Amino acid sequence: MRLVLLGPPGAGKGTQAKVLSKEYKIPHISTGDILREAVKAQTPIGLKAKVYMDKGELVPDEVVIEMVAQRVAKPDCGKGFMLDGFPRTAAQAKSLDATLVKLNRPVDLVIYFKTSVETIIQRLSGRRVCRICGENYHVKNIPPKVAGKCDKDGGELYQRNDDKEETILNRIKVYDNTVPEIISYYEGKGILRTVSGDFDVDEAYDHLSKLFVKENLK
Ligand code: AP5
């Protein structure tokens, strides 16, 4: 199964991808996670990306395109993969296709999480992330057992820099400006499917599982 998860910040792409990638035993490739790791490690890419990420702007295409091209060519993507947060521009979508054609690993389906602005703001403003393992929580929707601590390793939970209100609003604006061309691109290919991003975690998972059966994806 080779999937692209498309949707606004806070649509729940990462939350669903983590569960599905375990269940289907395929890698979850999140460009946001890869970039945050690079920022943490202070690599040249990380130092460059941080400037854009902190403002809620997109990191330049040439940086992310090359990063993903290298990742999807790895052997563990032979059985499939789940791309989360990529592509985000038409140039990224086209270059992804070119890379995957060469690898004979074309995208099967693009799942578009259509999500209301109220949901996005409620989820992002309450998101907390573990400093050690990167697990996502939400102060109300998915609270940890002990406030401020990760259930898995007790790591401190922090708020992402780009989850501050002002940056959230810019991320939504950037998303609204770039997503229509990607939607048209994949609609044209007949592989776009829309699910509601407003469902709770279990409902969203149920809808996705049924969709995979209907589409005969394995
Ligand atoms: P990225 O990390 O990709 O952020 P995003 O797309 O803005 O997505 P999020 O992680 O915010 O949302 P999500 O849909 O994964 O939601 P989640 O499941 O975490 O990108 C960050 C930055 O990196 C970008 O701004 C850009 O600068 C750069 N970047 C990344 N990719 C790039 C690219 N391709 N090109 C250029 N630049 C790029 O859930 C959110 C919260 O809600 C959590 O607290 C969760 O617990 C909760 N929640 C999740 N699902 C539900 C549910 N169903 N019900 C209730 N609560 C839920």
Side-chain angles (χ1 to χ4, degrees):
M1 166 189 309
R2 292 178 293 266
L3 293 182
V4 166
L5 306 185
L6 178 68
K13 308 177 297 288
T15 301
Q16 293 299 324
K18 281 193 180 95
V19 179
L20 294 167
S21 95
K22 265 191 206 141
E23 187 175 326
Y24 291 91
K25 299 185 178 53
I26 52 175
H28 164 209
I29 304 172
S30 155
T31 42
D33 286 349
I34 298 172
L35 289 168
R36 276 184 291 279
E37 279 300 313
V39 170
K40 202 169 154 191
Q42 301 196 325
T43 65
I45 285 185
L47 293 174
K48 186 170 183 182
K50 187 177 186 324
V51 180
Y52 297 91
M53 294 171 81
D54 282 350
K55 288 190 283 195
E57 299 289 337
L58 293 182
V59 173
D61 280 343
E62 64 270 20
V63 174
V64 277
I65 284 175
E66 184 50 31
M67 215 170 74
V68 172
Q70 288 181 15
R71 182 65 189 88
V72 292
K74 291 198 173 167
D76 66 339
C77 291
K79 274 186 164 177
F81 51 80
M82 210 165 275
L83 276 169
D84 161 13
F86 187 95
R88 266 173 147 101
T89 63
Q92 291 180 18
K94 287 177 191 158
S95 86
L96 176 67
D97 274 352
T99 301
L100 295 176
V101 164
K102 276 190 221 148
L103 293 166
N104 199 20
R105 293 176 181 173
V107 171
D108 294 315
L109 222 57
V110 177
I111 301 181
Y112 169 42
F113 290 71
K114 198 171 178 191
T115 315
S116 67
V117 174
E118 295 73 27
T119 297
I120 297 173
I121 293 174
Q122 192 273 351
R123 287 195 191 153
L124 294 186
S125 53
R127 170 164 54 192
R128 299 293 181 269
V129 184
C130 173
R131 256 189 219 290
I132 298 174
C133 69
E135 185 69 17
N136 268 331
Y137 295 88
H138 187 281
V139 289
K140 286 208 178 102
N141 309 351
I142 308 165
K145 289 181 188 132
V146 177
K149 300 267 179 224
C150 177
D151 293 350
K152 291 186 172 165
D153 52 28
E156 182 204 356
L157 303 185
Y158 75 100
Q159 184 172 36
R160 265 169 53 174
N161 263 351
D162 59 351
D163 280 347
K164 310 271 160 64
E165 191 174 337
E166 196 183 289
T167 318
I168 293 174
L169 296 177
N170 194 41
R171 285 163 70 199
I172 296 173
K173 198 170 110 199
V174 168
Y175 172 81
D176 285 343
N177 286 339
T178 49
V179 77
E181 57 181 359
I182 303 183
I183 288 179
S184 318
Y185 179 75
Y186 286 121
E187 263 174 354
K189 288 179 163 282
I191 57 171
L192 187 90
R193 304 289 180 272
T194 303
V195 297
S196 171
D198 291 329
F199 288 135
D200 70 28
V201 176
D202 292 342
E203 274 176 320
Y205 172 81
D206 274 358
H207 274 78
L208 292 173
S209 303
K210 283 181 187 145
L211 177 66
F212 297 161
V213 171
K214 192 170 152 209
E215 299 285 343
N216 202 20
L217 289 181
K218 289 179 188 111

